[in-house]
Amino acid sequence: MSDPRLQSLHLEGQPRREQFRAARQALHAACGSHTMAGDLRLLGPDDRLDASTLAAPPGGFAAAAAGRFLFYLKDGSNVFPLHLGLNSVGRLPDNDVVIRDECVSRRHCAILVHSDLRCELHDVASKNGTLLNGKKIPGPTRLQSGDQIVLCNRRLTFHVSDAPEPAAAG
């Protein structure tokens, strides 16, 4: 599985690069085939999923369930929508959530939204760590609506809400 948002070429020094690669491997393992099937961007040209792993075909339960909920981060008045699969957070412009703050790592953390709608926060070997509700996360940590994520001096709030009902054509 190859995701261009999780390359380690931007890191200087072998120890940091190895920490990042270990964090990336743990993140990919946490995705699982069901979440990968829901986020086809995670699949590289050599990755194969057999039919038994496709838990969320278009129009399936997971797709329908994911459509009933909105996942997002709030940073003051900024709202960052999250999607099924891997959501990278950091200061590089190709992250899903871009935080413009020099204290935030280029690839700081990631939020996984699984096909069964569980959500996890992963620190991706950031220099300053990731705090969840005031405590540094030691590894992948489950998220719940209302949780506070702190990246240096930036406070983000994780939210899950019901998606608005589509307007009936009349």
Side-chain angles (χ1 to χ4, degrees):
M1 176 169 52
S2 176
D3 188 328
R5 296 168 294 173
L6 296 175
Q7 300 302 316
S8 57
L9 300 175
H10 66 279
L11 295 172
E12 303 85 21
Q14 193 63 22
R16 283 262 305 134
R17 191 170 289 139
E18 290 307 314
Q19 288 174 334
F20 184 86
R21 288 177 179 165
R24 177 182 62 202
Q25 185 176 8
L27 183 58
H28 282 183
C31 285
S33 59
H34 295 286
T35 299
M36 289 186 334
D39 185 357
L40 297 178
R41 297 174 313 146
L42 292 177
L43 299 177
D46 298 328
D47 291 322
R48 305 261 188 264
L49 291 176
D50 65 37
S52 66
T53 65
L54 292 174
F61 166 76
R68 290 195 328 250
F69 298 98
L70 298 174
F71 301 90
Y72 60 96
L73 292 175
K74 278 190 82 171
D75 175 17
S77 61
N78 298 318
V79 175
F80 303 100
L82 303 173
H83 56 81
L84 182 67
L86 186 143
N87 297 271
S88 60
V89 180
R91 76 170 193 267
L92 284 178
D94 64 341
N95 283 299
D96 297 297
V97 177
V98 178
I99 307 294
R100 290 179 174 84
D101 185 324
E102 288 301 312
C103 184
V104 171
S105 294
R106 290 175 254 193
R107 304 276 189 224
H108 200 102
C109 64
I111 295 175
L112 283 180
V113 178
H114 291 280
S115 62
D116 64 3
L117 307 182
R118 286 178 302 115
C119 299
E120 296 175 349
L121 176 64
H122 293 249
D123 185 80
V124 189
S126 64
K127 280 188 177 180
N128 297 310
T130 302
L131 293 141
L132 179 63
N133 298 324
K135 296 180 183 172
K136 188 172 183 176
I137 62 170
T141 306
R142 187 143 186 195
L143 285 171
Q144 295 183 5
S145 192
D147 281 346
Q148 299 287 309
I149 301 168
V150 177
L151 314 176
C152 299
N153 298 319
R154 301 298 290 269
R155 181 177 305 275
L156 306 168
T157 307
F158 174 75
H159 293 278
V160 179
S161 66
D162 293 328
E165 293 291 326

